Amino acid sequence: MILLFALFASRLHPVARIRPAAEFLTKNMAFFLIPPGVGILSSLDILKKNLLPFLVIVSVSTVLAFAAAAWTVQLAIALQKRLESS
């Protein structure tokens, strides 16, 4: 959903090309969000006992995922520049 919003906001792609995927995702949003919500609620007692380690793991893994994505983009840009110059 965030990717679709970014594409709509940037106007990189025509809306007509994105519209079918956006409509599918918005029509079926409950299908994608209800099962994780039920899973969290059914495991709420375990989550409460381990809240601090859970938050640390989520925070660290988020930062690592952002860093890996940034390094991948930098590598791709460097490779693209190298290929264009040769």
Side-chain angles (χ1 to χ4, degrees), residues 13-83:
H13 293 284
V15 174
R17 289 181 61 191
I18 301 170
R19 187 175 308 277
E23 287 176 357
F24 171 78
L25 288 173
T26 53
K27 286 179 184 176
N28 297 301
M29 190 176 296
F31 176 74
F32 296 117
L33 297 178
I34 288 176
V38 170
I40 289 171
L41 289 176
S42 68
S43 302
L44 199 55
D45 56 335
I46 296 170
L47 187 58
K48 283 181 183 178
K49 292 177 186 175
N50 300 309
L51 187 60
L52 183 61
F54 177 74
L55 291 176
V56 169
I57 290 169
V58 168
S59 300
V60 170
S61 64
T62 300
V63 170
L64 290 175
F66 285 160
W71 289 327
T72 303
V73 168
Q74 288 178 346
L75 177 64
I77 290 172
L79 289 173
Q80 185 177 19
K81 285 182 181 178
R82 187 177 297 159
L83 288 173

